[in-house]
Amino acid sequence: MNKKLFIAGEWLAAESGRKMEIVSLVNGKPYGTVDLGGQADARKAVEAAQAAAKAWGKSSPSEREAILLRAADIIFRRRDDIVDILQHEAGSTFGKAMFEVGFFENIVRGAAGECRRISGTTYASDIPGVFSYSIRRPLGVVVGISPFNFPILLGGKKLAFSLAAGNAIILKPSEVTPLSGLLLAEIFHEAGVPAGVLSVIPGEGTELGDALIGHPAVKMVSFTGSTRVGKQIAETCAANLKKITLELGGKNPFIVLKDADLDHAIQAAAFSAFIHQGQVCMAGSRIIVEKELYDEFCDSFTAKASTLKVGSLEGKDTVIGPLIRRSQCDMIGDLIEDAISQGARLMTGGKWDGHVFEPTVIADVTAKMKIFHEECFGPVAVIVKAEDANHALDLANDTPYGLSSAIFTNDLKLANFFTENIEAGMVHVNGPSIRDEAIIPFGGVKNSGMGKEGGRYSIEEMTELKWITVQTDRGHFPF
Ligand code: NAD
């Protein structure tokens, strides 16, 4: 598979002539080549978006809805192609890839539903004879920057809601998952998105970032990725007064109180810690268990982790496949070593072969250890003992992050205490920390980001509210 850049409805070679090769994470063989975009390509895409944004911003809701519904049908029809790319390029297991494609189709249908609901408000005016109201207008040109882990879903979410809001968008997919980004271009192009309204430019963030974000025509950046890069992008946006949403990293607490349904908690904790090899922003990577259940939880959870099928992505029942980069394994290995040297217990796992890291459980972790605070982005669950519910809350909030969280208890009063006091953008009672839906306000607090994605919240972020008054009487003026 050889792919060029998708700019203004055409497949164009990169101006620099540079290309990159994608090696399959399924079989280690060459999977495809991609043109690598540079600053000149970025400028071309922004100029095309600027020219197309005006007419697109005036398109009717039903026109945009029809395009998005066609895109959803194409996603369903091409689900095998999408799954193939997600496996080879992003190292997805079959189950994760199927989940991603199904969920993405659902998100696009959700975005289609928003097109007809974009609305303002009327206000009771104190001024006699004045009709006061607001309308929402598209921003114009939006830049979407997406990460590698759910490249179809997270890149596609930005496209779908931006298009629903009436904006033109340029997507810069992760440099390690460019083919997924270009497949999104194929799908939305076939669905009928007009030329210029959508461009997809693979390339290095450091090279393309400033050219895209710094361009005066770009009004908003919708970023999903690490906190480190998010902060850099926020600085550039602040200097140019651009709107921004940041969906960043997490070290999410998964709390199990003494009255919890243990079997259910273990199943949800294993799903939250290990799906996609733990490479999920919402991963329940910090499991905090009240002391009365602690030993039983550690033993049963370790037993569950030890049964997960590890290895080749060719098997449809593989749960733990390869990490995106081999270097990630060394980084995780260092975090585990640091924890063990300070008294943590390695319950299972801890070793790796090539890109594949064994599902790993570490008990007796404390807040002194780096692994308590740092995102591993690998199949590593750490278990921390809490003296009581208050201590569990203190441990949960002892983090610079605040993305998702889960609390397992059957005590309504305690569930309410946690949902109110956990410092996180999302809290799930008796459910996994990994959850998303088409119409909910997805997003974090603290170092996990700002702004929301999903449903009407995306529309609100991606439009401007304009206040309008219409005066029907002659006004009174002081001079
Ligand atoms: P990353 O921050 O390394 O890269 C994300 C994107 O930013 C990529 O497209 C990359 O090319 C681009 N980029 C890098 N430097 C840039 C720059 N200077 N200017 C502009 N763009 C630049 O993240 P990653 O490794 O791809 O993904 C993993 C991270 O993403 C984790 O921290 C994870 O928690 C986070 N994440 C968050 C969410 C969420 O919704 N909160 C979802 C998925 C992943």
Side-chain angles (χ1 to χ4, degrees):
M1 176 177 329
N2 300 303
K3 293 282 175 198
K4 295 184 172 156
L5 313 176
F6 183 76
I7 300 180
E10 290 184 80
W11 296 93
L12 302 179
E15 294 252 337
S16 67
R18 286 185 304 152
K19 290 183 189 294
M20 75 176 281
E21 191 174 301
I22 306 294
V23 175
S24 165
L25 283 164
V26 176
N27 54 30
K29 295 182 183 154
Y31 183 64
T33 55
V34 180
D35 274 46
L36 263 188
Q39 298 189 1
D41 308 298
R43 274 194 296 276
K44 207 185 292 172
V46 176
E47 279 155 22
Q50 192 178 12
K54 230 179 186 152
W56 180 245
K58 293 202 167 89
S59 60
S60 69
S62 55
E63 189 183 334
R64 298 197 301 279
E65 178 196 59
I67 289 175
L68 287 164
L69 289 176
R70 272 201 299 277
D73 290 342
I74 298 167
I75 292 160
F76 181 74
R77 195 188 77 223
R78 296 197 61 185
R79 62 194 179 282
D80 290 347
D81 300 338
I82 301 175
V83 166
D84 194 72
I85 283 194
L86 285 173
Q87 292 213 268
H88 286 275
E89 182 180 64
S92 306
T93 60
F94 180 75
K96 180 267 188 185
M98 286 298 286
F99 166 77
E100 183 167 351
V101 83
F103 187 59
F104 177 47
E105 181 194 336
N106 193 270
I107 287 275
V108 175
R109 293 194 191 283
E114 293 302 327
C115 297
R116 293 178 195 254
R117 297 195 187 108
I118 301 172
S119 59
T121 308
T122 56
Y123 308 100
S125 176
D126 269 340
I127 311 163
V130 161
F131 177 45
S132 170
Y133 65 103
S134 59
I135 58 167
R136 286 200 170 275
R137 297 298 307 142
L139 299 174
V141 181
V142 171
V143 163
I145 301 177
S146 54
F148 74 84
N149 59 338
F150 282 76
I152 289 286
L153 174 64
L154 298 175
K157 210 179 192 185
K158 296 184 188 307
L159 295 190
F161 284 110
S162 186
L163 295 172
N167 295 308
I169 179 163
I170 297 133
L171 178 70
K172 196 214 83 60
S174 164
E175 64 279 11
V176 288
T177 54
L179 292 168
S180 303
L182 293 167
L183 182 54
L184 289 170
E186 278 178 32
I187 291 168
F188 283 89
H189 181 52
E190 185 187 339
V193 174
V197 170
L198 166 64
S199 293
V200 177
I201 309 190
E204 294 290 341
T206 38
E207 170 151 9
L208 284 177
D210 285 351
L212 288 171
I213 301 165
H215 196 293
V218 171
K219 302 299 176 204
M220 178 192 181
V221 178
S222 170
F223 175 80
T224 303
S226 64
T227 299
R228 182 185 63 79
V229 175
K231 284 184 175 175
Q232 287 172 16
I233 290 175
E235 275 181 32
T236 315
C237 286
N240 295 287
L241 290 183
K242 294 188 185 207
K243 281 186 102 172
I244 187 167
T245 53
L246 296 170
E247 304 291 351
L248 309 177
K251 189 78 188 182
N252 309 287
F254 187 108
I255 301 155
V256 184
L257 297 185
K258 63 185 176 205
D259 71 317
D261 175 339
L262 184 65
D263 286 347
H264 185 209
I266 285 170
Q267 279 180 6
F271 172 80
S272 303
F274 297 122
I275 186 171
H276 199 34
Q277 298 79 260
Q279 299 171 114
V280 186
C281 54
M282 297 171 275
S285 49
R286 244 170 0 120
I287 305 174
I288 299 165
V289 186
E290 211 173 349
K291 67 174 186 245
E292 288 81 352
L293 266 192
Y294 186 78
D295 290 337
E296 200 181 346
F297 183 94
C298 288
D299 291 342
S300 306
F301 182 76
T302 302
K304 170 95 185 165
S306 315
T307 63
L308 301 177
K309 191 168 169 214
V310 181
S312 164
L313 294 174
E314 268 153 4
K316 286 197 170 168
D317 53 349
T318 296
V319 176
I320 305 288
L323 295 178
I324 193 83
R325 296 181 182 92
R326 212 204 148 286
S327 57
Q328 193 71 9
C329 296
D330 299 327
M331 191 277 277
I332 297 169
D334 289 347
L335 286 175
I336 293 175
E337 213 177 292
D338 172 76
I340 291 171
S341 73
Q342 296 191 67
R345 260 186 306 152
L346 179 65
M347 306 289 287
T348 185
K351 295 196 287 296
W352 63 96
D353 181 12
H355 284 238
V356 180
F357 208 102
E358 293 174 350
T360 299
V361 180
I362 307 173
D364 304 348
V365 167
T366 69
K368 284 187 304 199
M369 303 168 189
K370 280 196 247 168
I371 207 161
F372 181 94
H373 302 281
E374 291 181 23
E375 202 179 29
C376 284
F377 238 54
V380 181
V382 305
I383 314 183
V384 187
K385 191 192 280 185
E387 292 303 313
D388 54 26
N390 281 317
H391 186 216
L393 180 69
D394 290 345
L395 288 166
N397 287 342
D398 185 6
T399 168
Y401 292 112
L403 188 57
S404 187
S405 56
I407 161 79
F408 273 73
T409 178
N410 286 307
D411 182 328
L412 256 185
K413 223 168 143 184
L414 276 175
N416 196 44
F417 169 70
F418 276 87
T419 56
E420 289 211 348
N421 292 297
I422 280 190
E423 295 165 1
M426 301 176 279
V427 193
H428 303 293
V429 179
N430 294 330
S433 60
I434 299 179
R435 253 196 186 148
D436 191 4
E437 293 198 41
I439 57 167
I440 54 89
F442 186 99
V445 297
K446 295 160 75 176
N447 273 358
S448 292
M450 53 196 202
K452 301 291 179 195
E453 264 193 352
R456 69 184 164 95
Y457 305 99
S458 277
I459 300 294
E460 283 168 14
E461 301 278 6
M462 292 180 157
T463 51
E464 285 288 359
L465 206 51
K466 184 185 272 185
W467 178 42
I468 300 171
T469 64
V470 179
Q471 185 147 343
T472 52
D473 294 348
R474 286 189 67 110
H476 296 287
F477 301 96
F479 53 85

